[in-house]
Amino acid sequence: MNWLWAIIVGLVLGLIAKAILPGKQRIPLLLTIICGMIGAALGNWGASGLGVRHTHGIDWIRHALQLIGAVVVVALGDRVWAAVRGRRSEG
């Protein structure tokens, strides 16, 4: 069940990150989910480092860090995807 939640959170964070970023990101849905999952993991890691991973009530800071992580990873994933796809179409 944990993997199902990770996929759902990755999908939601990845799609929100794509909506926040300017322009059109051309990464496929599967890569969006993976980038969202990695961003969530980075956000959890950052929240643990700041000591705010487990707080009373809703962990807004952790969720914000997860979203920031997803935005960064989706932006990087889009650049890598464009570079890889660009190289394939040239050759």
Side-chain angles (χ1 to χ4, degrees):
M1 193 67 171
N2 288 335
W3 278 104
L4 179 63
W5 277 114
I7 292 169
I8 292 170
V9 168
L11 173 65
V12 171
L13 285 175
L15 291 176
I16 293 172
K18 284 177 78 169
I20 290 173
L21 289 168
K24 180 168 176 64
Q25 292 74 42
R26 301 193 184 274
I27 59 175
L29 184 61
L30 180 61
L31 189 55
T32 301
I33 294 170
I34 292 169
C35 288
M37 290 170 66
I38 293 170
L42 288 174
N44 284 338
W45 177 74
S48 293
L50 294 173
V52 294
R53 181 159 183 203
H54 300 291
T55 60
H56 298 293
I58 299 174
D59 298 331
W60 292 111
I61 297 172
R62 179 174 59 109
H63 296 315
L65 290 172
Q66 288 175 333
L67 182 58
I68 291 168
V71 168
V72 170
V73 175
V74 166
L76 291 173
D78 184 53
R79 287 186 177 237
V80 170
W81 181 258
V84 168
R85 296 295 292 180
R87 249 187 266 134
R88 284 188 187 162
S89 63
E90 290 174 4

